[in-house]
Amino acid sequence: MHKLIAAVAASFAVAASCGAAQAQISDNVVKLGVLTDMSSLYADATGKGSLAAVEMAVADYGGKVAGVPIQIVSADHQNKPDVGVNIARNWYDNEKVDAVMDVPTSSVALPISALTREKNKININSGGGSSDITGVACSPNTVHWTYDTYALSNVAGKAMVKRGEDTWFFVTADYAFGMALERDAANVVKESGGKVLGDVRHPLNSSDFSSFLLQAQASKAKVVALANAGGDTTNALKQAAEFGITQGGQKMIALLMEITDVHSLGIKATQGLIITDAFYWDTNDETRAFSKRFNDKVGHMPTMIQAGLYSATMHYLKAIEAIKTDEAPKVMEQMRKTPINDFFAKNGKIRIDGRMVHDMNLYEVKKPEESKGEWDLYKLVTTVPGDEAFRPLDKGGCPLVK
């Protein structure tokens, strides 16, 4: 009888503790919002592939966390800050979204980060690039997961100046990301002993780069640096080939270029390009296994943004599982104190400014005769440890850094 009573009491205690744990999950559901570019110049690098990466992570996690279901909503912010903020505000206020994911386009990412702090939710940014996200505009509610303008510039700029490519001209997208990318790259060039001979700004989503490229050509700079991304980068590279810029002895560098861009342009047109990237599908067995599954689902190999989103989603869900709550400050604390070890990052860490620090890689696009298949596009030049690739914690101007 005593054993029976003890067993019943124990079962009630377990049930009560489970109920208490579930009660700490708001609305008895964990809801993720994938806010991305579904229809414009960043759609290949983010878009449906970003949504697919989050869906894969949720499915692999089992569809539930801490005993409650995981739901996903998605939307196209159209690269417009007002559209993106209105969507996120509605998600937070009316649809009870707990975390907004991805958010390419820095002019959208920055106000989304600010709104997330106001609503005390979580923003995990994979697609936006401005280093200001973890600098002067840092937030205790935002994690910047995959890359930023500082790391892109630091890894490629130092390497190129070191090998004698020490005069630069920038062709820059005229919005937050492009200007941050040019700023960070110019600083690296100057600090490494090089010179910036000039720059020109172009509107976002441009189709005609002729006047901008002619100015770059006339500058006689050894390096023509594209401080843009997505369709702007591919359009600029196509037209640069028509103007014979590389044939004239100048080196082209795309400071942000995704594997989907290289694939779209073709290896013949992009051979020799220097690219900084956080992820390449053919790195090891883990990256190949994930990338094959992603390719089967989406139809192309994952970009670093998409691979980063899978990694970030899993880390977020594991944090909730560990502490049995989706309360933003507690989840952020758990995420910061837990190292990231998966196919995307080894010994990654989230700093107080929100920067997820991990190794970055410098690649060169292979020559056609070196490639053994459709997606066999990169050869590794060097791997830069995270603490060297990303901006030092005390140099970004983040108010959270004591």
Side-chain angles (χ1 to χ4, degrees), residues 30 65 103 164 203 218:
V30 171
V65 60
V103 202

Side-chain angles (χ1 to χ4, degrees), residues 8-45:
V8 171
S11 66
F12 274 119
V14 170
S17 67
C18 289
Q22 288 196 22
Q24 295 183 54
I25 304 294
S26 58
D27 309 299
N28 289 316
V29 65
V30 171
K31 201 167 188 178
L32 309 179
V34 181
L35 187 58
T36 189
D37 177 2
M38 291 287 191
S39 57
S40 190
L41 71 167
Y42 304 134
D44 288 343

Side-chain angles (χ1 to χ4, degrees), residues 106 129-132 149-150 153 172-173 175-187 227:
S106 297
S130 174
S131 60
D132 290 342
T149 53
Y150 183 95
S153 307
T172 302
Y175 79 108
F177 166 75
M179 289 183 282
L181 187 52
E182 179 187 328
R183 176 198 67 205
D184 289 343
N187 287 340

Side-chain angles (χ1 to χ4, degrees), residues 258-275:
E258 301 283 356
I259 193 169
T260 46
D261 302 324
V262 175
H263 182 264
S264 174
L265 283 169
I267 197 168
K268 187 175 181 181
T270 54
Q271 59 183 305
L273 266 178
I274 298 296
I275 293 168

Side-chain angles (χ1 to χ4, degrees), residues 92-158:
Y92 288 147
D93 290 348
N94 302 315
E95 298 192 32
K96 308 304 181 186
V97 166
D98 297 295
V100 169
M101 320 285 287
D102 198 17
V103 202
T105 314
S106 297
S107 54
V108 184
L110 288 161
I112 294 296
S113 179
L115 176 67
T116 302
R117 183 174 191 171
E118 175 192 328
K119 299 296 182 181
N120 197 25
K121 301 289 187 174
I122 287 178
N123 171 214
I124 303 180
N125 187 295
S126 185
S130 174
S131 60
D132 290 342
I133 293 170
T134 57
V136 294
C138 70
S139 162
N141 297 71
T142 294
V143 181
H144 205 182
W145 198 266
T146 301
Y147 74 102
D148 63 28
T149 53
Y150 183 95
L152 295 177
S153 307
N154 189 37
V155 172
K158 282 182 178 176

